[in-house]
């Protein structure tokens, strides 16, 4: 079956430009998560959605970062005025409701800021 | 506040031996779940095992078992009979429940090297 799909898989852009990263979760999954992973490091929590609502945005690094989810499905993570420190792999995951449901991850978007 | 700690940046194990990867956590929520994921060099995240805070028995999945010590707030992963293909990054994660939903955070990870 279809897994979590992220696009683009790679994005190279110049410092100061805006970027949009897309996540298409597994159909029926109500929870959606965004993480950032720098090379060889752990997963930094950014934001999660329950349906279209984001109960916890505490992980967003600055006001340049925003995310939305529409129709309880696709989510977009937007980074405005990108900086070199934004370079990382951005991972999206989705899960069914329930504390014991594991997350299913996409392959990530590798973002490189020149 | 939620916190997950993995104190072993790297671990070595001989093929066919068992290895324990440490994970401690902190939460004020009495209801939570603990997960372990594997990330090979290819980058994909693979779910290994889950333990609920109210589960009475330690979780097991094939060669993976979770040594859950609730009072110590630890959830160590035990891999038995290590294989070369077990070489990867391993992440411990915790999900809290409650009215806010199911925020999940990850530890810094442990890189496991299996020696032939």
């Amino acid at each position: 079956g279809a897994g979590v799909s992220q696009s683009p898989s790679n994005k190279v852009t110049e410092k100061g430009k805006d970027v949009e990263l897309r996540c298409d979760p597994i159909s029926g999954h109500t929870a959606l998560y965004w993480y950032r992973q720098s090379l060889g490091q752990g997963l930094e929590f950014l934001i999660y959605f329950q349906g279209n609502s984001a109960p916890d945005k505490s992980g967003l690094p600055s006001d340049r970062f925003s995310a939305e989810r529409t129709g309880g499905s696709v989510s977009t993570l937007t980074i405005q005025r990108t900086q070199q420190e934004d370079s990382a792999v951005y991972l999206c995951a989705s899960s069914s409701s329930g504390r014991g449901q594991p997350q299913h991850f996409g392959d990530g978007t590798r973002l490189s800021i020149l | 506040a939620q916190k997950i700690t993995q104190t072993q940046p790297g671990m070595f194990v001989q093929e066919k031996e068992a290895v324990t990867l440490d994970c401690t956590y902190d939460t004020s929520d009495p209801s939570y779940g603990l997960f372990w994921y594997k990330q090979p060099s290819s980058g994909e995240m693979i779910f290994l095992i889950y333990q609920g805070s109210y589960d009475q028995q330690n979780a097991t999945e094939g060669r993976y078992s979770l040594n859950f010590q609730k009072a110590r707030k630890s959830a160590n992963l035990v891999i038995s009979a290590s294989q070369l293909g077990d070489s990867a990054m391993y992440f411990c994660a915790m999900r809290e429940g409650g009215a806010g939903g199911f925020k999940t955070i990850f530890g810094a990870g442990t890189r496991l090297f299996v020696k032939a």
Side-chain angles (χ1 to χ4, degrees):
Chain A
V4 177
S5 178
Q6 290 188 247
S7 61
S9 53
N10 284 283
K11 177 73 176 179
V12 180
T13 192
E14 292 180 345
K15 175 183 172 181
K17 300 287 189 183
D18 297 352
V19 296
E20 281 191 356
L21 312 180
R22 176 187 168 106
C23 175
D24 202 340
I26 291 173
S27 178
H29 280 188
T30 56
L32 186 147
Y33 306 79
W34 284 99
Y35 297 91
R36 180 167 71 174
Q37 186 176 31
S38 300
L39 188 63
Q41 302 299 310
L43 277 69
E44 176 188 4
F45 169 80
L46 298 179
I47 188 171
Y48 87 100
F49 292 88
Q50 193 64 26
N52 290 335
S53 301
D56 193 323
K57 303 179 182 179
S58 63
L60 294 176
S62 73
D63 59 8
R64 297 186 295 105
F65 287 72
S66 63
E68 65 175 13
R69 188 181 185 191
T70 55
S73 181
V74 173
S75 176
T76 302
L77 176 69
T78 301
I79 309 173
Q80 296 178 308
R81 304 181 303 281
T82 52
Q83 304 293 314
Q84 287 189 331
E85 60 262 28
D86 299 335
S87 296
V89 175
Y90 289 80
L91 290 167
C92 175
S94 69
S95 72
S96 299
S97 296
R99 194 167 295 105
Q101 295 300 315
Q103 292 170 301
H104 299 261
F105 283 82
D107 291 335
T109 293
R110 184 175 299 277
L111 178 64
S112 300
I113 310 299
L114 302 179
Chain B
Q2 268 181 306
K3 187 176 181 181
I4 286 273
T5 303
Q6 294 180 255
T7 57
Q8 307 155 312
M11 288 280 288
F12 286 87
V13 65
Q14 194 68 40
E15 192 179 12
K16 301 181 183 177
E17 292 186 349
V19 63
T20 298
L21 307 183
D22 294 343
C23 173
T24 59
Y25 60 91
D26 193 18
T27 178
S28 56
D29 191 335
S31 182
Y32 53 89
L34 297 156
F35 301 80
W36 278 91
Y37 291 85
K38 172 184 179 181
Q39 187 178 45
S41 56
S42 57
E44 63 190 300
M45 290 287 285
I46 302 167
F47 165 69
L48 296 177
I49 195 167
Y50 166 78
Q51 179 86 42
S53 59
Y54 295 121
D55 292 344
Q56 295 297 310
Q57 295 194 350
N58 287 344
T60 60
E61 287 289 347
R63 294 187 299 110
Y64 305 108
S65 61
L66 202 151
N67 183 2
F68 182 47
Q69 299 188 42
K70 194 170 182 178
R72 294 186 177 184
K73 294 188 175 179
S74 75
N76 299 339
L77 177 71
V78 180
I79 305 175
S80 63
S82 297
Q83 300 172 356
L84 295 178
D86 294 335
S87 294
M89 278 289 281
Y90 289 81
F91 293 101
C92 180
M94 177 174 66
R95 175 179 296 168
E96 290 182 333
F102 302 104
K103 177 181 179 180
T104 305
I105 63 169
F106 284 73
T110 295
R111 185 170 296 279
L112 178 66
F113 300 91
V114 180
K115 300 181 292 184

